[in-house]
C-alpha cells in the first residue's frame, strides 16, 4: 500500500512515509476526495496533537470531507511543527503546557498567539528564526548542517526518517530554530515533551 502524505516533519513539511509515530494531529481538512493534499496546509488556527487511541473511537484515515489525520514521530516534532497538546484527549498535558505557556489563557487564545509564530500566511511557509544555540531549552528543534536536530542537554540528536540518530555535541553559535518562539517559552518554563524511544539513551526513559 502506498504511504499517505500525512507525516509531519519538524521543518513543517507534510510527507508520505509509512511510519506512523507516537501522536496524531489535526489542523482541518487538507485533502481531497482521493486523499491528496492541496496547496493549503491548514484550514484553521487550532493545531492540536492527539493520542492515537481515545475512548475507543475509530476513524477512517483521510475520509472525504473529514479532517486530515496528521502523524508525528513524537511530541517534540509536533511542537516544532507548530502544534500544541489537545485539550480533550490530552487534558493533563494541555494543562501542563498552558501552565508553562500562559496559565490564564484558554486554548483559542493560545492558538491566536501561536499561529503567526508558526506559519507565514502569505507564503504558507514555516516561520523560523535565528538564536544562540546555548540559550535554547531542551525539546526544541534546530536546523544543523541542513538536518533537523533535537536539542537536549549538551547534545543534539539528528532526526532520521523514523528515529533519532546518534547524539552529537551541541554546536556553538547562532542557529536556525524551527520550534515557534511562544512554544520555546513553554519549554523554558519546564514543559517536557514526550519523546520517541530512540532518544532514550540520551534523555532517559
Amino acid at each position: 500500500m502506498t504511504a499517505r502524505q500525512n507525516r509531519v516533519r519538524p521543518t513543517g513539511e507534510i510527507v508520505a512515509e509509512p511510519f506512523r509515530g507516537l501522536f496524531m494531529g489535526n489542523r482541518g481538512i487538507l485533502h481531497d476526495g482521493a486523499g491528496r493534499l492541496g496547496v493549503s496546509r491548514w484550514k484553521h488556527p487550532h493545531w492540536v496533537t492527539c493520542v492515537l487511541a481515545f475512548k475507543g473511537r475509530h476513524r477512517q484515515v483521510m475520509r472525504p470531507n473529514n479532517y486530515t489525520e496528521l502523524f508525528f514521530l513524537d511530541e517534540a516534532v509536533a511542537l516544532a511543527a507548530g502544534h500544541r497538546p489537545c485539550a480533550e484527549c490530552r487534558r493533563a498535558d494541555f494543562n501542563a503546557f498552558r501552565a508553562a505557556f500562559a496559565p490564564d489563557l484558554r486554548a483559542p487564545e493560545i492558538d491566536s498567539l501561536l499561529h503567526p509564530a508558526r506559519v507565514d500566511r502569505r507564503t504558507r511557509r514555516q516561520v523560523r528564526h535565528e538564536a544562540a544555540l546555548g540559550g535554547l531549552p531542551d525539546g526544541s528543534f534546530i536546523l544543523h548542517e541542513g538536518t533537523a536536530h533535537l536539542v537536549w542537554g549538551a547534545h543534539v540528536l539528528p532526526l532520521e526518517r523514523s528515529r533519532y540518530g546518534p547524539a552529537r555535541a551541541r554546536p556553538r553559535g547562532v542557529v536556525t530554530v524551527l520550534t515557534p518562539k511562544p512554544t520555546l517559552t513553554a519549554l523554558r518554563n519546564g514543559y517536557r515533551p514526550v519523546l520517541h524511544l530512540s532518544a532514550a539513551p540520551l534523555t532517559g526513559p
Side-chain angles (χ1 to χ4, degrees):
M1 179 180 294
T2 302
R4 298 179 183 271
Q5 188 182 357
N6 58 8
R7 179 69 174 270
V8 185
R9 307 285 289 174
T11 52
E13 300 166 285
I14 304 177
V15 299
E17 291 183 348
F19 313 105
R20 185 172 63 175
L22 301 182
F23 291 95
M24 186 186 77
N26 170 22
R27 55 175 86 161
I29 302 173
L30 312 184
H31 65 282
D32 62 17
R36 298 169 301 199
L37 264 61
V39 175
S40 177
R41 290 297 185 264
W42 79 92
K43 289 295 186 180
H44 56 63
H46 313 301
W47 297 18
V48 297
T49 307
C50 300
V51 293
L52 297 178
F54 182 66
K55 294 186 175 180
R57 297 177 186 175
H58 297 278
R59 292 183 58 85
Q60 174 187 333
V61 175
M62 284 187 160
R63 185 171 55 159
N65 302 315
N66 279 260
Y67 75 77
T68 304
E69 295 85 355
L70 303 172
F71 295 94
F72 311 89
L73 178 71
D74 64 13
E75 190 177 13
V77 170
L79 292 176
H83 288 242
R84 61 156 173 85
C86 175
E88 181 185 11
C89 67
R90 301 184 61 207
R91 189 68 191 184
D93 291 331
F94 171 76
N95 287 338
F97 182 84
R98 178 173 60 179
F101 185 96
D104 298 329
L105 297 185
R106 297 178 297 115
E109 295 169 324
I110 292 175
D111 292 334
S112 70
L113 293 177
L114 274 174
H115 202 57
R118 60 193 173 197
V119 64
D120 186 309
R121 287 182 176 272
R122 182 177 59 85
T123 65
R124 299 189 179 94
R125 293 179 180 176
Q126 182 184 47
V127 174
R128 302 172 180 178
H129 63 281
E130 305 295 308
L133 183 53
L136 294 177
D138 290 352
S140 53
F141 258 97
I142 64 166
L143 274 183
H144 176 57
E145 297 179 347
T147 300
H149 284 68
L150 173 71
V151 176
W152 201 275
H155 299 82
V156 294
L157 290 167
L159 183 66
E160 299 175 351
R161 289 186 63 193
S162 61
R163 58 174 291 114
Y164 291 103
R168 306 174 181 178
R170 183 190 288 226
R172 298 180 179 180
V174 174
V175 294
T176 298
V177 185
L178 304 178
T179 307
K181 286 184 178 180
T183 304
L184 293 179
T185 297
L187 294 174
R188 287 192 178 98
N189 289 338
Y191 186 76
R192 287 294 177 264
V194 178
L195 299 179
H196 189 261
L197 183 62
S198 58
L202 178 62
T203 63

